[in-house]
């Protein structure tokens, strides 16, 4: 009888749990696809337009590209002569026009079966950047295989903000590196040492940085001011407005950790003497640039809201209030915006011993 006392409550619990399951039907009205416009243009680069159809949020298929539209560009109220060229590799319409600061741009797009789509925006001026000041703060990393210095760079520069207008900015540090792999090996038949260049290429990388400025970055933690990028809030691109610096010259402090200086970095690898390969050397040149971008309101609002929407999905999930992504397209959705880029090469001073890597010996 005691055995039954255990079985009966268990059976009741199972039936109760099963009774809690419900299938809830809900109706979703699928709307006809809309024309989606993507056109974020840089000063001195050809105006482009990418067109797709919107997609139902439960669909997993790729966005359908629109390649049969009639796209017209107006510059300062005048239609630009000539049709754009459609590039199938980039899936974009390209116009033979490079916008200049102060230009007013407008689009008129006709897609078969859809109403006419229009949009307009104004091209901003380049940021006025001056007086970059650089201080090298030595920092050393050691591990079992490598020894090399990765100094922290303290950069300060002046941003001269125009008066009586709303301005939108971003700052980033770009590492442009070119490198070459060189192999030294012996020809056993002759004993001659052969030098062979295996590869020669380059890459561009956005550096992590801290913005220790409570004026443009109210989220600055005071402990980050003296930190060497080991903690705190870091960015690869920092967005801000001129709300607190309108019409003034403001000195902006940045810290980032450099990979090296603008000199050769030689990584030497030794192999077993029985191998035909004696050693390989990597020669790298690193060049650092301060990149300050100024946006018009349309581009800035789009970048900020689209980034927030992606973060919502990545960090919170679907059960949160949706972020409304900014759009300035009439008769469709998307963005027509513009930005201007100011790039300044950073002349980082040389310091003896801070651009060397220790030779690493490896045996097969």
């Amino acid at each position: 009888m005691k055995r039954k006392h255990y079985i009966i409550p268990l059976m009741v619990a199972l039936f109760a749990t099963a009774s809690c399951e419900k299938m809830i039907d809900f109706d979703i009205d699928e709307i006809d696809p809309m024309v989606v416009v993507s056109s974020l243009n840089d000063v001195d680069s050809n105006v482009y337009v990418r067109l797709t159809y919107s997609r139902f949020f439960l669909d997993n298929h790729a966005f359908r590209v629109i390649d049969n539209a009639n796209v017209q560009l107006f510059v300062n109220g005048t239609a630009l002569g000539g049709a754009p060229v459609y590039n199938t590799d980039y899936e974009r319409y390209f116009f033979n026009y490079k916008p200049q600061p102060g230009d007013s741009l407008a689009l008129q797009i006709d897609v078969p079966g859809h109403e006419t789509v229009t949009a307009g925006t104004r091209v901003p001026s380049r940021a006025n950047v001056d007086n970059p000041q650089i201080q090298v703060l030595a920092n050393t990393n050691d591990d079992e295989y490598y020894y090399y210095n990765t100094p922290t760079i303290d950069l300060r520069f002046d941003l001269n903000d125009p008066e009586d207008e709303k301005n939108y900015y971003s700052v980033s540090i770009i590492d442009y590196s070119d490198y070459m792999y060189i192999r030294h090996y012996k020809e056993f038949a002759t004993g001659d040492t052969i030098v062979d260049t295996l590869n020669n290429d380059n890459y561009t990388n956005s550096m992590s940085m801290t913005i220790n400025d409570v004026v443009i970055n109210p989220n600055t933690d005071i402990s980050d001011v003296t930190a060497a990028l080991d903690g705190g809030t870091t960015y690869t691109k920092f967005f801000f407005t001129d709300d607190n610096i309108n019409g003034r010259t403001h000195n902006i402090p940045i810290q980032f950790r450099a990979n090296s200086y603008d000199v050769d970095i030689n990584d030497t690898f030794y192999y077993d003497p029985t191998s035909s390969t004696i050693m390989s050397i990597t020669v790298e040149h690193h060049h650092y640039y301060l990149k300050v971008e100024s946006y018009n309101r349309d581009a800035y609002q789009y970048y900020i809201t689209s980034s927030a929407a992606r973060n919502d999905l990545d960090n919170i999930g679907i059960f949160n209030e949706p972020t409304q992504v900014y759009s300035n397209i009439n008769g469709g959705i998307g963005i027509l915006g513009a930005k201007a880029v100011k790039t300044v090469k950073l002349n980082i001073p040389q310091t003896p011993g801070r651009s060397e890597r220790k030779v690493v010996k490896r045996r097969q």
Side-chain angles (χ1 to χ4, degrees):
M1 294 297 293
K2 290 183 180 180
R3 187 182 184 92
K4 291 183 180 180
H5 286 299
Y6 288 106
I7 295 177
I8 293 175
L10 177 62
M11 296 286 290
V12 172
L14 290 174
F15 280 118
T17 303
S19 64
C20 291
E21 294 184 1
K22 292 183 179 180
M23 297 295 294
I24 301 176
D25 295 327
F26 61 97
D27 295 327
I28 300 178
D29 295 329
E30 293 192 45
I31 62 174
D32 293 332
M34 303 176 66
V35 174
V36 181
V37 180
S38 178
S39 183
L40 290 162
N41 301 284
D42 293 336
V43 168
D44 291 333
S45 295
N46 290 78
V47 172
Y48 78 91
V49 179
R50 186 174 190 269
L51 300 177
T52 58
Y53 290 108
S54 63
R55 186 182 67 185
F56 184 59
F57 75 95
L58 291 179
D59 289 343
N60 293 320
H61 62 72
F63 287 97
R64 290 185 296 150
V65 176
I66 302 173
D67 58 5
N68 63 340
N70 179 17
V71 185
Q72 193 169 13
L73 173 66
F74 296 83
V75 180
N76 299 322
T78 302
L80 185 70
V85 176
Y86 184 78
N87 186 301
T88 55
D89 292 333
Y90 291 95
E91 298 178 339
R92 296 179 178 185
Y93 299 84
F94 285 95
F95 289 91
N96 187 25
Y97 182 76
K98 298 179 180 180
Q100 299 301 307
D103 281 350
S104 176
L105 304 180
L107 290 174
Q108 180 175 307
I109 303 169
D110 290 296
V111 177
H114 292 264
E115 65 175 292
T116 297
V117 174
T118 60
T121 198
R122 184 174 293 276
V123 181
S125 299
R126 285 188 175 90
N128 189 350
V129 176
D130 194 16
N131 194 30
Q133 298 176 337
I134 297 171
Q135 182 180 4
V136 179
L137 308 176
N139 188 67
T140 302
N141 284 346
D142 294 314
D143 62 32
E144 182 180 355
Y145 296 104
Y146 291 103
Y147 166 82
Y148 59 94
N149 288 312
T150 53
T152 296
I153 307 301
D154 187 90
L155 167 66
R156 297 172 183 270
F157 68 94
D158 291 336
L159 177 64
N160 303 311
D161 185 70
E163 289 185 275
D164 302 325
E165 61 180 83
K166 183 74 171 179
N167 295 289
Y168 308 85
Y169 302 101
S170 73
V171 295
S172 55
I173 303 295
I174 306 300
D175 172 15
Y176 177 84
S177 302
D178 54 79
Y179 59 89
M180 179 169 52
Y181 296 121
I182 304 173
R183 179 180 60 178
H184 294 240
Y185 66 96
K186 275 191 177 181
E187 181 63 47
F188 286 153
T190 63
D192 295 333
T193 299
I194 309 299
V195 179
D196 183 20
T197 301
L198 302 179
N199 196 359
N200 192 0
D201 208 344
N202 59 72
Y203 66 89
T204 301
N205 181 43
S206 296
M207 305 296 293
S208 295
M209 60 182 181
T210 58
I211 309 292
N212 301 315
D213 187 340
V214 295
V215 176
I216 64 170
N217 184 17
N219 296 322
T220 294
D221 186 337
I222 194 63
S223 63
D224 290 342
V225 175
T226 56
L229 300 186
D230 292 323
T233 303
T234 62
Y235 307 88
T236 54
K237 178 178 284 190
F238 177 71
F239 291 87
F240 64 100
T241 70
D242 68 347
D243 285 345
N244 296 329
I245 61 172
N246 186 32
R248 296 188 291 111
T249 296
H250 183 67
N251 187 261
I252 298 177
I254 295 175
Q255 282 190 356
F256 69 96
R257 180 167 293 168
N259 293 321
S260 72
Y261 298 109
D262 298 349
V263 295
D264 296 352
I265 304 298
N266 296 326
D267 286 346
T268 304
F269 299 93
Y270 289 98
Y271 292 89
D272 191 284
T274 60
S275 172
S276 61
T277 301
I278 303 300
M279 63 181 177
S280 297
I281 298 176
T282 304
V283 180
E284 299 179 1
H285 297 265
H286 291 263
H287 314 277
Y288 294 97
Y289 296 85
L290 168 66
K291 185 177 181 182
V292 182
E293 297 174 88
S294 57
Y295 305 85
N296 63 8
R297 181 180 181 275
D298 295 320
Y300 185 85
Q301 293 292 339
Y302 172 78
Y303 279 120
I304 294 298
T305 56
S306 61
S307 177
R310 286 192 297 269
N311 289 337
D312 284 347
L313 291 177
D314 292 340
N315 300 327
I316 302 176
I318 62 174
F319 297 107
N320 62 297
E321 294 185 9
T323 299
Q324 182 67 48
V325 178
Y326 179 84
S327 172
N328 63 345
I329 306 299
N330 302 311
I333 55 176
I335 184 65
L336 169 62
K339 60 187 177 74
V341 180
K342 177 70 173 182
T343 303
V344 178
K345 188 176 189 302
L346 301 177
N347 297 314
I348 299 176
Q350 299 288 332
T351 302
R354 287 188 184 161
S355 60
E356 300 174 356
R357 290 191 182 185
K358 178 184 269 187
V359 170
V360 181
K361 294 184 178 181
R362 295 181 179 175
R363 300 184 184 278
Q364 291 181 333

